[in-house]
Amino acid sequence: MEGSKILRTAKLINDNPNAQKRVPYHYVSHKTAAEENLPGRFELFILDEGQQKIEVREETKVPNTTVFTFNKEDHTLGNLISQRLLKYDFITFSAYKVPHPLFATFELRVTTDGSITPKDAVVRCCKDVIQDLSKVSLSFQGEWLNQKIIEEGQRDAEVRDQGNY
Amino acid sequence: MDIDDFGPKEPTCRMLEANDKRAYFIVRDWNLETANSLRRVMLAEVPTLAIDTVEVIDNTSVLADEFIAHRLGLTPLIAEDVDKLVDFRDCDCEDSRCDNCSVTLRLKAKCTGNDVMKVYARDLVIESMPPSDKLGQPVITDADGLGSCIVKLRKGQAIDMRCIAKKGIAKEHAKWAPSAAIGFEYDPANKLHHLDLWYEGDDPKKEWPADEVRIDLDGGPEKTDEPFNYDAVPERFFFDVETVGGLSPDAIVNNGIKVLQQKLASVIKELTGVDEANAGLDGAQSPAMDGGFGNDGYGNDGGYTTPGYGGGNAYAGGTTPYGATPYGGAPGW
Ligand SMILES: [Zn+2]
C-alpha cells in the first residue's frame, strides 16, 4: 500500500511537465530576498567608501586629551584598548563608548598627564598587547603539542589494553 | 632574589584537554580585557570557508531552492589553508568566483530506486582547483563517513546545485563561525565577588553547586579568615574552545590571536601613518612600522615576529605579519 503510493507520486513527478521546465542556473545567494532592504552585514567590518579607520580629534577644552573615533570596530578593540590604557601611570583618563548600537563605530577618549601624547599612549598600548598575545601564542602552541601527545598516548594505550583482553 | 625582581609576570598557558574537537586550557597571569577580546575574536572574526552562493541547476525535491541553499551554507567545510584564498570582495574576477577567491562544489543526486534517498554532505564534490587539497572538503566526523543530511529524495526527484564557497567571518553570518562554543570563565569560586548569586532559600551555596575541579585549578576556595582584597583582579582564565570541524581547535586559537594582533597592528599603522601622511607618504609602507616591533626595546623576545609565531605556523602564510592586511587585505583593517 505504502509502496504503491510512493510509486504513484514518483510517477507524477516524472510526468510533471513543470519539473523539466525550470529556468536553469537559478542563483540563490545566502542573503538576498528576505534581507534585501537591510544593509549588508559586511558593513560591520568593511570601511565605507572613503572612510578612515581612525579619526583623531584633539579635545581643545581639556589638556592632553584626544578623542579617537574607530570606524568598523566594536567592543573587541574598544574595551581592550581603553582598559589596558588605565594600567599605565601616565594615563589620567581612558574610556570608550559606542554612540549607537546600529553603527559599527566607537569613540575612545584618552587623557594623559602630559608626559606622552594620547596618540603615542594608544600606540604603545597596542604594541604591548601584541607582545602579550605573542607570549600567550607561544605558550599555547607548546602546551597544545605536549597535551596532544599525552592524550594520543593514552588512547593508544587503551586500544592496546582492549586488544589484550 | 625575590621573584618580583624579574618584572611583571608573563602570561602562560596550561592545557587541560587537547584533541580534534576541543582545546581546554587555562591562561595564567593575564588580564580580563585581552582574554575577553581573544574570546570575541575567536567567536566572530576568525576567517573560515562556507558556501555563499548556490546555482540551482535542478531541484525537484520537496524543499525550496532557498531552503536547500541555506542548509548548504551551514554545512561545515574544511577551512585549513583558507588564508590562501583572497577575500572575494577584493578579488578582480567577474561575479566574484574564481579559484583565487572561492571553492566550487557540486551537489548532484537523483533518486531512481523505490527507497527514500538521503543526500549527505559527503556527496558534495569539489569542481574547482582550490589552493590546497583539503580546503573546501565537507567536514565529516561520523563513523559512517556521511556528514550531515542535506535533503531526502523520492523516486524521480533530483537535485543539481553548484555551490560557491567563500572565505568569510562570523560577524557577517554565523555559517562562518569556526567554533561551536567557547567556554570562558574566571574565578569559579567567586573569590572576587564579581557575582552576586541569586538564591531563593537560605543559602546560595546550596543552590549553586561549586565546580570543585575548576576551583582547585584556580587556587582553591575563598579563605574566609582573610580580609577581602579590594585590589584583586582576575588573572586566570579558563578557555574551552570547541570546533565545528573546519579548523582544528588549536588553529582557532592561533588564528584568533593572529587576527587580534593584526587588528592592533592596523591601529598602530593608522595612527603612526597619520604623521607619515603629512610628510607625503600615505602610510602604506611606513618605515616606523618595520622598526616598531623589532628594534625599539621589544627586540629581545622577538614577540610579534618571533619564529614560533610567524614561521612555524602554517596559517601565517608568506606575508610579513606586520604589513599583512588582516582578513584578506580589506583596506584599513
Ligand atoms: Zn576571484
Side-chain angles (χ1 to χ4, degrees):
Chain A
M1 173 92 173
E2 188 64 31
S4 69
K5 212 160 133 196
I6 290 172
L7 270 176
R8 229 177 63 224
T9 323
K11 192 165 184 311
L12 274 174
I13 290 161
N14 266 341
D15 297 344
N16 179 2
N18 291 327
Q20 310 298 322
K21 258 200 214 156
R22 62 169 305 136
V23 189
Y25 299 99
H26 171 61
Y27 291 87
V28 181
S29 164
H30 211 189
K31 47 187 174 300
T32 45
E35 293 178 23
E36 221 157 64
N37 294 321
L38 285 175
R41 267 173 288 186
F42 60 84
E43 285 185 19
L44 291 173
F45 54 91
I46 307 270
L47 286 169
D48 299 339
E49 200 68 34
Q51 195 177 32
Q52 267 197 310
K53 187 82 218 171
I54 305 171
E55 292 159 34
V56 182
R57 185 170 59 84
E58 302 292 332
E59 180 68 84
T60 46
K61 291 176 204 149
V62 187
N64 307 313
T65 301
T66 305
V67 178
F68 303 88
T69 305
F70 287 70
N71 290 316
K72 309 298 180 183
E73 288 294 347
D74 58 10
H75 304 275
T76 303
L77 265 194
N79 183 59
L80 175 56
I81 297 176
S82 69
Q83 291 303 113
R84 175 73 181 217
L85 279 172
L86 290 173
K87 292 179 182 162
Y88 297 101
D89 289 337
F90 48 76
I91 295 291
T92 49
F93 182 87
S94 161
Y96 82 106
K97 68 173 175 186
V98 179
H100 193 285
L102 288 183
F103 298 107
T105 184
F106 75 83
E107 284 173 19
L108 174 73
R109 185 190 168 102
V110 181
T111 307
T112 66
D113 63 4
S115 63
I116 184 172
T117 63
K119 195 168 90 177
D120 289 342
V122 171
V123 170
R124 172 156 171 200
C125 162
C126 290
K127 285 184 183 177
D128 285 352
V129 177
I130 289 175
Q131 292 295 312
D132 267 12
L133 283 165
S134 290
K135 282 165 193 155
V136 173
S137 178
L138 274 180
S139 172
F140 174 85
Q141 285 171 27
E143 277 283 300
W144 169 267
L145 288 176
N146 282 343
Q147 182 65 24
K148 194 130 200 240
I149 290 166
I150 293 170
E151 288 191 22
E152 269 160 18
Q154 282 168 349
R155 214 171 309 135
D156 290 348
E158 274 168 33
V159 171
R160 267 200 309 280
D161 290 348
Q162 281 164 351
N164 289 343
Y165 253 109
Chain B
M1 197 188 242
D2 195 54
I3 190 122
D4 288 335
D5 291 343
F6 293 102
K9 284 178 276 184
E10 292 188 349
T12 42
C13 286
R14 180 174 163 198
M15 197 65 61
L16 301 172
E17 213 181 306
N19 51 52
D20 293 340
K21 280 198 187 116
R22 194 172 173 211
Y24 179 31
F25 60 101
I26 303 175
V27 187
R28 282 180 310 182
D29 302 319
W30 216 15
N31 54 69
L32 183 55
E33 61 271 16
T34 324
N36 188 48
S37 285
L38 176 61
R39 178 191 68 87
R40 286 175 60 95
V41 161
M42 289 192 294
L43 274 176
E45 296 186 58
V46 171
T48 62
L49 188 76
I51 291 169
D52 196 41
T53 315
V54 178
E55 231 175 80
V56 183
I57 300 150
D58 190 12
N59 175 21
T60 46
S61 76
V62 291
L63 301 183
D65 295 354
E66 289 81 355
F67 198 119
I68 298 174
H70 181 243
R71 293 180 71 77
L72 287 167
L74 295 172
T75 308
L77 303 176
I78 288 175
E80 235 173 84
D81 293 331
V82 77
D83 283 8
K84 290 183 182 164
L85 285 184
V86 184
D87 184 7
F88 66 93
R89 281 183 251 270
D90 298 332
C91 195
D92 300 325
C93 62
E94 272 177 54
D95 42 286
S96 58
R97 43 168 306 195
C98 69
D99 283 354
N100 290 326
C101 67
S102 67
V103 179
T104 308
L105 299 109
R106 186 79 175 256
L107 184 67
K108 199 172 176 179
K110 183 169 183 166
C111 177
T112 48
N114 285 328
D115 295 327
V116 169
M117 178 192 200
K118 286 183 176 176
V119 181
Y120 292 100
R122 61 131 189 236
D123 299 317
L124 284 162
V125 181
I126 295 183
E127 266 192 347
S128 60
M129 296 287 286
S132 85
D133 286 346
K134 277 183 123 184
L135 182 67
Q137 298 280 0
V139 169
I140 287 162
T141 48
D142 55 315
D144 299 329
L146 300 169
S148 43
C149 184
I150 295 164
V151 250
K152 292 180 182 176
L153 301 175
R154 222 141 62 155
K155 192 173 184 179
Q157 298 179 342
I159 57 161
D160 187 359
M161 301 192 170
R162 195 174 289 128
C163 316
I164 295 108
K166 292 169 185 168
K167 182 167 80 167
I169 57 173
K171 235 185 184 182
E172 181 165 9
H173 194 286
K175 65 184 173 182
W176 279 296
S179 54
I182 295 180
F184 182 75
E185 189 183 30
Y186 63 89
D187 188 25
N190 197 22
K191 286 183 275 195
L192 299 169
H193 295 198
H194 284 194
L195 294 178
D196 197 9
L197 298 176
W198 173 269
Y199 60 103
E200 298 182 349
D202 308 318
D203 184 10
K205 287 207 167 71
K206 277 185 200 154
E207 296 173 36
W208 293 92
D211 187 338
E212 302 293 352
V213 180
R214 278 200 184 179
I215 289 174
D216 277 349
L217 289 165
D218 193 44
E222 189 172 10
K223 294 181 185 74
T224 42
D225 52 334
E226 283 175 19
F228 182 74
N229 179 5
Y230 288 93
D231 295 326
V233 288
E235 48 193 23
R236 226 169 294 161
F237 302 90
F238 293 81
F239 283 87
D240 193 353
V241 180
E242 188 193 343
T243 177
V244 169
L247 287 171
S248 60
D250 65 315
I252 297 176
V253 179
N254 289 327
N255 291 5
I257 291 175
K258 203 181 81 184
V259 169
L260 190 52
Q261 284 181 322
Q262 286 171 336
K263 234 182 205 313
L264 290 157
S266 76
V267 173
I268 301 171
K269 190 173 183 173
E270 185 78 15
L271 287 178
T272 53
V274 172
D275 285 334
E276 240 88 74
N278 292 340
L281 294 162
D282 88 301
Q285 278 293 321
S286 106
M289 290 313 287
D290 303 327
F293 290 131
N295 304 328
D296 62 347
Y298 299 102
N300 280 343
D301 16 354
Y304 195 41
T305 47
T306 196
Y309 164 65
N313 186 339
Y315 295 91
T319 46
T320 55
Y322 224 97
T325 28
Y327 185 47
W333 258 57

